[in-house]
């Protein structure tokens, strides 16, 4: 199961973080990008940038989160770049999360799942983010494919964006917030997919920008692995995130995108790989200190 592999590679690297490849061509140093743009266009520059980062960080970072929107915006060349980026990350041994937030009625959800999670998926990733707003029949096709392929999903529970509370924090039914009801369903969907490391293939997206809510969910979801977006550029700190992890400092992975892929801008250098490594080392140390590791 990929959830067991994710936990083990985090342990091996001593680093519960994910490299978020939310890459825009504007983030690529101009001198590096120019020959690739001239030869093949912006998507070629993004591909080369991603490949260099993947190679340069593979000894430090266990996991990659590829945000589909940044590739779809470049059209067919961008989709080709996304496919190649996912394939290269998997080749280099990363666990790959495709952040595409798919979700639809049952038949369409099944088609999405066939594309990304099925055993013979043509766009295979190790994990896919899923939107549960349509209810169980929009999620169970993904869960079914997780059962047969060993891959996994991260279901949106409490997202990191500022307006997430407009719906997710509404009090519903028995007095719990809507995000807590969704969290309970995530636990149900994944109850029979718990691996040898004690966590289910059905995980939860929990915004790092809402650590108190994350800590509440952690107490109620002992077998659900958390994907924690919102670190760095969105303002979440590692110290506040400790409650989203389990008592052993496991059970979650923190996604960092711009803080890593744009580290060279803050450092005032075109050496984006070295700058990203420096930031990855700083982030790892900060996370381990916060988790008492």
């Amino acid at each position: 199961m990929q959830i067991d592999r994710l936990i083990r590679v985090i342990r091996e690297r001593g680093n519960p973080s994910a490299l978020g490849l939310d890459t825009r061509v504007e983030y690529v140093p101009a001198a590096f990008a120019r020959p690739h743009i001239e030869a093949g266009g912006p998507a070629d520059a993004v591909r080369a940038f991603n490949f260099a980062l993947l190679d340069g960080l593979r000894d430090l970072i266990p996991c990659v989160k590829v945000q589909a929107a940044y590739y779809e915006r470049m059209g067919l060349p961008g989709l080709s770049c996304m496919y190649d980026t996912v394939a290269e990350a998997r080749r280099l041994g990363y666990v790959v999360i495709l952040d595409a937030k798919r979700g639809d009625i049952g038949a369409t959800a099944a088609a999405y799942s066939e594309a990304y999670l099925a055993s013979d998926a043509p766009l295979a990733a190790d994990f896919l983010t899923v939107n549960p707003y349509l209810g169980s029949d929009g999620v169970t096709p993904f869960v079914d494919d997780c059962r047969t392929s060993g891959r996994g999903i991260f279901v949106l529970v409490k997202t990191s964006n500022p307006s997430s509370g407009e719906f997710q924090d509404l009090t519903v039914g028995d007095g719990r917030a809507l995000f807590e009801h969704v969290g309970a369903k995530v636990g149900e969907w994944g109850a029979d997919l718990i691996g040898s490391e004690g966590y289910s293939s059905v995980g939860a997206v929990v915004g790092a920008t809402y650590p108190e809510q994350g800590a509440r969910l952690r107490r109620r979801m002992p077998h659900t692995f958390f994907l924690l977006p919102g670190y760095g550029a969105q303002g979440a700190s590692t110290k506040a995130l400790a409650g989203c992890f389990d008592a052993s400092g496991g059970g979650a992975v923190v996604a960092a995108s711009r803080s890593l892929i744009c580290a060279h801008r803050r450092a005032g250098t075109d050496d984006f790989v070295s700058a990203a490594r420096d930031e990855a080392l700083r982030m790892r140390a900060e996370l381990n200190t916060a988790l008492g590791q």
Side-chain angles (χ1 to χ4, degrees), residues 82-198:
M82 183 179 78
Y83 177 89
D84 293 344
T85 296
V86 169
E88 179 69 359
R90 296 183 78 203
R91 186 187 74 80
L92 291 173
Y94 291 94
V95 174
V96 179
I97 302 167
L98 183 63
D99 190 358
K101 299 179 178 67
R102 300 303 190 215
D104 213 311
I105 61 171
T108 309
Y112 279 134
S113 188
E114 288 164 9
Y116 299 110
L117 294 177
S119 297
D120 58 351
L123 302 172
D126 299 310
F127 291 86
L128 178 71
T129 56
V130 171
N131 189 329
Y133 191 73
L134 277 75
S136 292
D137 67 345
V139 176
T140 51
F142 299 102
V143 176
D144 290 343
D145 276 332
C146 290
R147 187 172 290 110
T148 57
S149 70
R151 297 187 171 113
I153 58 175
F154 286 104
V155 180
L156 305 182
V157 175
K158 176 60 182 171
T159 57
S160 61
N161 56 304
S163 63
S164 66
E166 290 180 1
F167 300 136
Q168 295 167 18
D169 292 355
L170 292 176
T171 299
V172 180
D174 60 3
R176 288 178 295 165
L178 178 59
F179 74 83
E180 293 175 289
H181 286 273
V182 176
K185 288 299 293 185
V186 169
E188 292 176 19
W189 291 325
D192 66 342
L193 286 172
I194 297 172
S196 61
E197 296 285 346

Side-chain angles (χ1 to χ4, degrees), residues 252-263:
V253 63
V254 180
S257 300
R258 281 170 287 171
S259 59
L260 288 169
I261 64 178
C262 295

Side-chain angles (χ1 to χ4, degrees), residues 5 17 81 92 94 171 199 216 246:
R5 178 170 162 250
S17 68
C81 176
L92 291 173
Y94 291 94
T171 299
Y199 282 94
R216 282 160 58 186
D246 63 27

Side-chain angles (χ1 to χ4, degrees), residues 3-123:
I3 187 61
D4 290 330
R5 178 170 162 250
L6 174 58
I7 292 167
R8 289 167 188 156
V9 73
I10 286 172
R11 188 182 300 137
E12 289 167 7
R13 299 285 189 278
N15 188 4
S17 68
L19 167 65
L21 290 177
D22 302 3
T23 314
R24 303 176 71 102
V25 71
E26 304 94 280
Y27 297 164
V28 183
F32 180 89
R34 189 175 302 110
H36 297 287
I37 292 173
E38 291 173 352
D44 278 18
V46 169
R47 181 186 290 104
F49 179 80
N50 286 351
F51 277 33
L53 284 173
L54 289 169
D55 185 62
L57 296 172
R58 59 179 169 168
D59 62 319
L60 293 178
I61 293 182
C63 181
V64 171
K65 183 174 78 70
V66 178
Q67 171 51 260
Y70 289 88
Y71 302 87
E72 292 171 359
R73 66 183 289 274
M74 295 186 287
L76 288 177
L79 291 174
S80 175
C81 176
M82 183 179 78
Y83 177 89
D84 293 344
T85 296
V86 169
E88 179 69 359
R90 296 183 78 203
R91 186 187 74 80
L92 291 173
Y94 291 94
V95 174
V96 179
I97 302 167
L98 183 63
D99 190 358
K101 299 179 178 67
R102 300 303 190 215
D104 213 311
I105 61 171
T108 309
Y112 279 134
S113 188
E114 288 164 9
Y116 299 110
L117 294 177
S119 297
D120 58 351
L123 302 172

Side-chain angles (χ1 to χ4, degrees), residues 209-271:
T209 47
Y210 296 100
E212 291 182 12
Q213 292 90 332
R216 282 160 58 186
L217 289 167
R218 169 50 64 218
R219 291 191 292 271
R220 296 180 178 185
M221 303 170 73
H223 299 293
T224 303
F225 199 90
F226 288 179
L227 170 62
L228 303 171
Y231 173 87
Q234 291 187 55
S237 70
T238 52
K239 184 177 181 180
L241 290 177
C244 298
F245 288 77
D246 63 27
S248 300
V253 63
V254 180
S257 300
R258 281 170 287 171
S259 59
L260 288 169
I261 64 178
C262 295
H264 59 284
R265 288 180 163 186
R266 294 189 304 278
T269 177
D270 282 351
D271 188 352

